[in-house]
Amino acid sequence: MMQFRRIVSTAALGLLVIGMPACKKKEAPAPSADAAAPAPVPAFEVGTIEVGKAVGADKRVTSTGTTFGRRDTIYVSVATEGVAPSKTIAAKWTFQDGQVVDEESRSIAPNGPEVTEFHITKPSRWPAGKYKVEIAVDGATAGSKDFEIK
Amino acid sequence: MPDSKEPKADFSDVEGGSSSTAPSAGQTYTVVPGDSLSKIAKRFYGDAKEWKRIYEANKDAIDNPDLIYPGQTFTIPGA
């Protein structure tokens, strides 16, 4: 009888030992649920702001500069990173005396790295002097560039 | 004593524009001195006659289409 009990308890222990890994296997799917969670959305942020006389097909300024001629078209390119359903990027161009030369905004739905360009022209030649373009995102200043027209 | 006050620079004929690699989320425009709906339409659509599109989209902010004010922000439909 004692021997029978020993056999039964050995068998029970064996089942328990065999059963433990089985229990672990049942827990295994939990991490995969975590893995299925959506990746964090990269926060939207402004990168490089560049001023120049022309932009390429990628909207980036092709050759940067801070001095322009009186008949030039002036471009500012704003590189951004991140994803957002809607962001309003604004460019405010001002003359040295504080006059607003031009102001424009563009609402975009960025989906990763993007570039937005703003440009100004003046058919009757620019007044010589110092200018500034300020970039704002949703009303908050994100940077500025100074340039001169000679 | 000479008058050192120079005449203010004139920026009334400045033309601006923008474009982006990002899809548009609906464009807006802030009115500057000298603007009219026709002038804004010319800027965005290339045709001053399209001013009614901007007027229709911003009727709640425009009482008289001949009177718009600097600082007003308009939605520019389908630009």
Side-chain angles (χ1 to χ4, degrees):
Chain A
M1 189 65 183
M2 286 285 285
Q3 198 176 2
F4 176 73
R5 276 187 189 165
R6 195 174 296 142
I7 290 167
V8 169
S9 28
T10 307
L13 188 65
L15 282 173
L16 188 65
V17 170
I18 292 166
M20 281 171 72
C23 287
K24 276 189 181 171
K25 275 186 184 170
K26 278 182 185 173
E27 288 168 9
S32 69
D34 288 346
V41 177
F44 180 85
E45 60 182 9
V46 173
T48 314
I49 298 171
E50 291 177 319
V51 177
K53 289 180 189 174
V55 291
D58 60 358
K59 310 297 181 192
R60 286 182 188 277
V61 166
T62 48
S63 64
T64 58
T66 54
T67 306
F68 299 91
R70 297 183 67 185
R71 291 190 185 280
D72 286 342
T73 295
I74 298 135
Y75 292 83
V76 61
S77 67
V78 184
T80 55
E81 295 275 349
V83 176
S86 179
K87 286 284 174 185
T88 300
I89 303 182
K92 184 180 182 181
W93 307 79
T94 51
F95 188 48
Q96 60 192 15
D97 63 359
Q99 269 195 88
V100 176
V101 173
D102 191 61
E103 197 168 9
E104 187 157 335
S105 62
R106 190 172 189 92
S107 292
I108 59 168
N111 190 25
E114 308 280 7
V115 180
T116 301
E117 67 81 16
F118 296 90
H119 59 268
I120 50 171
T121 59
K122 191 174 191 305
S124 61
R125 305 203 310 165
W126 293 107
K130 292 180 178 174
Y131 293 74
K132 176 182 272 193
V133 58
E134 291 173 270
I135 302 300
V137 175
D138 289 344
T141 303
S144 67
K145 285 283 177 187
D146 294 310
F147 59 93
E148 190 168 5
I149 291 178
K150 289 184 177 175
Chain B
M1 189 174 166
D3 184 9
S4 61
K5 207 171 186 182
E6 290 180 19
K8 246 186 166 184
D10 177 19
F11 294 107
S12 60
D13 63 338
V14 170
E15 294 168 5
S18 66
S19 61
S20 180
T21 58
S24 176
Q27 200 161 356
T28 61
Y29 175 77
T30 303
V31 178
V32 295
D35 269 347
S36 65
L37 287 182
S38 300
K39 193 175 172 183
I40 299 169
K42 171 88 175 157
R43 166 182 290 210
F44 287 97
Y45 305 125
D47 184 354
K49 291 177 191 164
E50 295 286 331
W51 66 267
K52 279 185 181 172
R53 290 175 65 183
I54 301 168
Y55 175 56
E56 291 295 330
N58 298 278
K59 263 185 170 175
D60 55 335
I62 304 171
D63 293 329
N64 178 347
D66 292 325
L67 280 177
I68 58 173
Y69 303 97
Q72 282 186 297
T73 299
F74 297 148
T75 300
I76 309 297

